[in-house]
Amino acid sequence: MKTHVAGEHFGFHEPSPSSPLPEEWRELDRAVWRWVLAHGGDPLTAHTAAWASHAEGQGHSALELATVAENADPDVATQVRAALEQSALVAPGDADGTQHCPFVLEGGHFYLRRNHRSEVAVARALARRRQAASEPVRPLHDDELRALFNGSWTDEEERQRAAVRQAPGRALMVLTGGPGTGKTTTVLRMLLGLSREHEARHGGLPQIRIAAPTGKAAQRLSGSLREGAERLRGGEEPVSDSWQRHLDAVLGTESGTVHRLLGSRGRHGGFAFRADEPLPADIVVVDEASMLDLGLLRALLDALREDAVLVLVGDADQLTSVGTGSIMMDIVRALETDPRGDLVRLAHCFRADITLVPINEAVRRGDAEAFDTAVAAAATHTARNGRPAAKMCHVADVAALRRRLATWGRSLQQVLADVDITTPLAADDPALLSRLETLGRQQLLCALREGAFGAVQANALIAARLRQWDALSAWAGRDWYPGRAVIITRNDPAARLYNGDVGICVPVLNNNGDTLLRVAFERPPDAASQASEHTDAPPPLRLFDPYTLPPHEDAFALTVHKSQGSEYDHVAVLLPPAPDSPLLVRQTLYTALSRARQSLELWSVPASTAQALATPLLRHGRLAERMVEGMGGG
């Protein structure tokens, strides 16, 4: 089975001063090569170190030396290993941690020292947490579980109940599953059980923190927990009074990015909370954990007290972080290899319309035949939005793409016309919400960011098409116009706008009756709840002067990475027509298609689709193996 990995075009050869450096190397990789030579390293070690830097740039925590043997003369591969073993700049993997060599050689893996240290530290910390599990003081019995599920007890909820039952008494709990499998519902009930367990052990309610790699994901989890709490309180069989204080503890939680949780020092580097200044939290939930990278997880584990509970939630089959490592995938693999009850994988989809579930499952498994069957079946089904549930669109060149984008632009124009996007409304008019909600109606997702088939170019073409709409003639030539969708690209804590937040430009009437353009964003759920304690419930959106926004860009088309954690009624997924593109991997296709709630389109060619289905993205490193070894299983 083929996988895309760093160094699959390693091109290693016996280097000489006259040899050209590999074209794939970034300037940083070349700097590493020069640094090694300047510090007494031999040419073979310098080349390997530069390739290790290149591998890190592709998300790997280590360079797998097997790529040398696959792509070079066997004699050269032998010379490489001999040079590394003899180099004063390279430490063996079992060397004392105080050794200050910049590189580490461990078996068939060559590491930049910081990645080796982080991987070892994370594996040890997670193994300690697994080993710290104990019998709960207040175990959850069947009647209590039934109460936490509003009196429901179905076979489909069995895995959810197992997660809730198994969480108390553990210092680490991992919950994974695809869209619609009830992760948030399960997390709420897990938190209630963990809160009661903490109270039984320590005599008081816990301090709970909710975080995610992006502020939007954290806000979404916080809002979903509040909605779930209201259902628990107001259902046909509401939970008993004994659970109310634990619900209050959950609803009183702070949410934000993992960086904010740890007290990021910004450009100064590092975090306020660390091993010698622990985070004041008893239970920490991290949602969208597949987006965590190795360094950030190490910082989080360093900052947590040993007796604090860490709950990692996410879809292990989604795209990995843009940083180093494949954290969620590796942790799930380790916990499945050595099962101890601290991992639950949810599988049943609770959505009313499950037409798309077989498609997502086929992609997750990489089953091309099942994928074709599922798409064909969905194509005959009409979704709630009136579209075919699935549609394959042959997009082999730029001309075909432009035709698809023209059709997409007309559809977007109709969505905006349906909510009278150009008609100004008062800032407190409830109808503004329908305009914000158009952002969830349809979304184009691109595997690439740059190039003719990338999100940047698609955004430009969609925007140009939209601006030809007669209804927008009053705003001709202006940067801002009704219906312009934008995504924030840099956090602005003061404005409470974060990387990944998406807003839409709307015309608003001021007190004098003048029309102003404002950008509407979803109101953070915790801000809404705090405001409602003192005033009437605020509108579920916030309005900003477009010229005061933090850095942003158009959001008519998003990269698949940017879409993680979001869902849309209708999704179109654009794959490049070149089958050798390194981004044509299974996780890209799965993440993109699973964003659709009702219907989807795949803009591709058969060769690209087949390549994506057949190519799992694996990142080199030994985190999973280290975790198993740390538990005595290796």
Side-chain angles (χ1 to χ4, degrees):
M1 182 180 295
K2 180 176 173 59
T3 60
H4 279 302
V5 295
E8 63 180 349
H9 302 295
F10 201 86
F12 209 96
H13 57 274
E14 182 81 53
S16 68
S18 61
S19 300
L21 298 179
E23 294 182 0
E24 303 98 308
W25 284 5
R26 304 167 299 167
E27 184 54 41
L28 176 60
D29 309 330
R30 295 166 185 262
V32 170
W33 174 77
R34 289 192 293 268
W35 185 94
V36 172
L37 292 177
H39 287 76
D42 62 277
L44 286 171
T45 299
H47 255 64
T48 308
W51 276 117
S53 171
H54 183 74
E56 182 188 49
Q58 294 186 327
H60 303 276
S61 57
L63 173 69
E64 196 168 74
L65 292 181
T67 53
V68 179
E70 291 173 1
N71 296 281
D73 184 283
D75 290 339
V76 174
T78 301
Q79 294 170 22
V80 168
R81 181 173 288 278
L84 297 177
E85 291 173 345
Q86 297 169 13
S87 175
L89 298 176
V90 181
D94 57 357
D96 189 310
T98 60
Q99 190 165 342
H100 293 296
C101 294
F103 309 106
V104 176
L105 177 63
E106 185 176 48
H109 292 83
F110 183 82
Y111 288 85
L112 304 181
R113 179 169 170 265
R114 66 172 179 274
N115 288 338
H116 185 267
R117 293 183 65 183
S118 291
E119 192 176 274
V120 170
V122 166
R124 287 175 177 172
L126 292 174
R128 285 197 304 270
R129 289 188 165 276
R130 300 193 74 195
Q131 291 166 337
S134 62
E135 290 297 318
V137 175
R138 291 290 305 277
L140 286 161
H141 302 297
D142 286 356
D143 57 340
E144 293 169 318
L145 281 172
R146 188 186 300 274
L148 288 179
F149 284 83
N150 288 111
S152 177
W153 192 278
T154 66
D155 292 342
E156 292 79 8
E157 295 166 332
E158 189 276 329
R159 298 306 299 153
Q160 292 183 317
R161 291 194 298 271
V164 178
R165 191 196 302 273
Q166 292 163 205
R170 300 186 186 278
L172 174 70
M173 192 71 195
V174 179
L175 182 69
T176 187
T181 54
K183 292 190 295 292
T184 303
T185 298
T186 307
V187 168
L188 173 60
R189 288 151 178 82
M190 288 171 64
L191 283 174
L192 292 176
L194 289 168
S195 177
R196 192 179 73 159
E197 178 71 13
H198 184 276
E199 184 181 50
R201 288 176 182 261
H202 303 287
L205 293 174
Q207 287 187 291
I208 303 173
R209 297 291 182 268
I210 295 172
T214 68
K216 185 175 182 64
Q219 291 173 8
R220 188 163 39 248
L221 176 60
S222 179
S224 297
L225 291 177
R226 293 177 189 282
E227 293 172 2
E230 292 305 314
R231 288 194 294 269
L232 272 180
R233 283 176 166 157
E236 293 184 7
E237 297 187 32
V239 293
S240 64
D241 292 342
S242 63
W243 288 106
Q244 294 301 324
R245 61 181 178 276
H246 301 295
L247 268 176
D248 291 338
V250 173
L251 294 179
T253 60
E254 295 182 10
S255 68
T257 65
V258 178
H259 283 84
R260 180 185 174 195
L261 174 75
L262 296 176
S264 172
R265 297 186 184 280
R267 66 172 66 92
H268 302 293
F271 299 96
F273 297 111
R274 50 196 184 276
D276 58 350
E277 187 68 37
L279 183 69
D282 302 303
I283 302 170
V284 173
V285 177
V286 179
D287 195 18
E288 299 293 344
S290 62
M291 299 169 70
L292 286 174
D293 62 36
L294 185 63
L296 188 56
L297 180 58
R298 180 186 181 184
L300 175 61
L301 290 167
D302 284 347
L304 286 181
R305 300 193 316 267
E306 291 292 330
D307 63 340
V309 179
L310 175 62
V311 180
L312 297 177
V313 184
D315 188 343
D317 298 306
Q318 279 194 35
L319 274 172
T320 54
S321 162
V322 294
T324 304
S326 48
I327 298 304
M328 193 67 168
M329 187 187 305
D330 290 345
I331 292 174
V332 168
R333 182 155 59 95
L335 271 56
E336 288 180 333
T337 302
D338 180 27
R340 300 189 179 221
D342 42 14
L343 166 70
V344 172
R345 184 188 285 273
L346 304 178
H348 179 77
C349 183
F350 289 89
R351 290 176 175 168
D353 187 349
I354 61 171
T355 309
L356 302 181
V357 172
I359 297 176
N360 295 334
E361 181 58 23
V363 177
R364 191 184 72 81
R365 299 195 313 268
D367 188 332
E369 184 177 351
F371 176 78
D372 291 340
T373 300
V375 169
T380 65
H381 176 80
T382 301
R384 295 194 306 276
N385 56 19
R387 299 174 183 262
K391 181 179 180 180
M392 300 292 287
C393 302
H394 190 82
V395 178
D397 51 35
V398 172
L401 175 59
R402 285 180 174 270
R403 289 192 295 271
R404 293 309 316 166
L405 289 174
T407 301
W408 186 261
R410 288 193 294 270
S411 175
L412 175 61
Q413 179 179 315
Q414 186 59 55
V415 168
L416 296 175
D418 288 344
V419 295
D420 296 323
I421 191 68
T422 60
T423 301
L425 297 173
D428 58 354
D429 193 318
L432 278 177
L433 179 59
S434 65
R435 299 178 177 185
L436 182 63
E437 289 174 342
T438 61
L439 295 172
R441 300 282 174 79
Q442 66 176 62
Q443 183 65 57
L444 174 61
L445 303 179
C446 305
L448 305 179
R449 172 175 170 79
E450 306 291 343
F453 290 82
V456 173
Q457 180 68 6
N459 264 314
L461 292 172
I462 294 171
R465 176 81 190 189
L466 186 61
R467 295 180 70 131
Q468 294 174 10
W469 186 18
D470 290 342
L472 296 179
S473 59
W475 294 273
R478 301 186 189 179
D479 292 337
W480 290 96
Y481 50 90
R484 182 185 177 190
V486 294
I487 184 170
I488 300 299
T489 58
R490 186 187 303 167
N491 294 339
D492 185 348
R496 304 198 69 185
L497 289 174
Y498 299 97
N499 183 18
D501 286 351
V502 180
I504 187 169
C505 184
V506 294
V508 174
L509 293 172
N510 67 8
N511 292 334
N512 297 324
D514 298 323
T515 299
L516 305 174
L517 290 181
R518 293 292 181 259
V519 185
F521 288 87
E522 182 180 1
R523 182 178 295 277
D526 51 340
S529 65
Q530 292 166 5
S532 62
E533 293 175 1
H534 309 289
T535 63
D536 293 337
L541 52 78
R542 296 181 297 159
L543 299 173
F544 292 85
D545 183 328
Y547 296 100
T548 66
L549 293 180
H552 55 273
E553 56 191 32
D554 280 349
F556 300 116
L558 299 176
T559 63
V560 178
H561 262 294
K562 285 286 189 181
S563 74
Q564 284 183 269
S566 298
E567 293 182 346
Y568 314 92
D569 292 343
H570 180 69
V571 165
V573 178
L574 173 60
L575 300 183
D580 59 349
S581 171
L583 290 179
L584 286 175
V585 295
R586 189 179 303 164
Q587 285 89 339
T588 297
L589 187 58
Y590 172 82
T591 302
L593 295 181
S594 63
R595 300 308 93 202
R597 283 187 291 246
Q598 298 177 22
S599 58
L600 59 85
E601 299 176 16
L602 179 56
W603 301 359
S604 182
V605 294
S608 293
T609 305
Q611 178 74 0
L613 284 168
T615 312
L617 173 64
L618 300 179
R619 288 185 167 178
H620 291 157
R622 295 194 60 248
L623 178 59
E625 290 81 359
R626 291 186 203 280
M627 288 180 61
V628 175
E629 292 168 1
M631 297 297 293

